Amino acid sequence: MNTSGITAALPAQDLDRARSFYVEKVGLGALESPSLEASDGQVRLAVGDAANQLFVYPAQARSPGEFTQAVIQVSDVRAAVEEMRERGVEFEEYDTPETRTEGGIAQMPGGGEGAWFKDSEGNLIGVVPALTA
């Protein structure tokens, strides 16, 4: 199999609220698309250089937010957490044998740091260091 990427898609009960959350609080760019508006109103968001994207689609059910549904890779987890906090994102706190956070940031078993937040729709999103080649 020859693959070229993957795109995450998350459910939203309120697309306008979700779009505002990801643009205003997380800092992603919304990509306009007449084809999406004409179909079912999905919101397409650019991640980084827009080679990666996150779709938010209309859904009736709310996510339980009990597991990570998408992960945003960043160059500096602490800086990204601080930047999003300043825009109103609240990070989850964990104190389990597997994951313990301080100030919303966990030391990962393989090294590096991670953080998690719930979006406006209850989806659990991770923030981790970008993979290096």
Side-chain angles (χ1 to χ4, degrees), residues 18 52 64 73 79 102:
N52 295 293
Q73 296 177 7
E102 272 188 45

Side-chain angles (χ1 to χ4, degrees), residues 4-87:
S4 62
I6 191 167
T7 300
L10 298 171
Q13 297 74 51
D14 184 324
L15 284 174
D16 289 333
R17 178 178 63 203
R19 181 183 198 275
S20 293
F21 180 86
Y22 280 103
V23 170
E24 296 169 13
K25 294 191 178 200
V26 177
L28 302 182
L31 299 172
E32 303 304 325
S33 172
S35 65
L36 291 177
E37 291 171 13
S39 60
D40 62 5
Q42 293 182 45
V43 174
R44 183 172 56 157
L45 301 152
V47 180
D49 60 5
N52 295 293
Q53 298 175 14
L54 171 65
F55 282 87
V56 181
Y57 62 90
Q60 296 298 320
R62 184 170 175 87
S63 168
E66 295 177 11
F67 54 89
T68 305
Q69 293 165 273
V71 176
I72 300 171
Q73 296 177 7
V74 298
S75 58
D76 183 329
V77 171
R78 286 187 182 273
V81 166
E82 186 59 34
E83 186 177 318
M84 286 189 270
R85 265 201 182 114
E86 288 174 5
R87 290 188 288 227

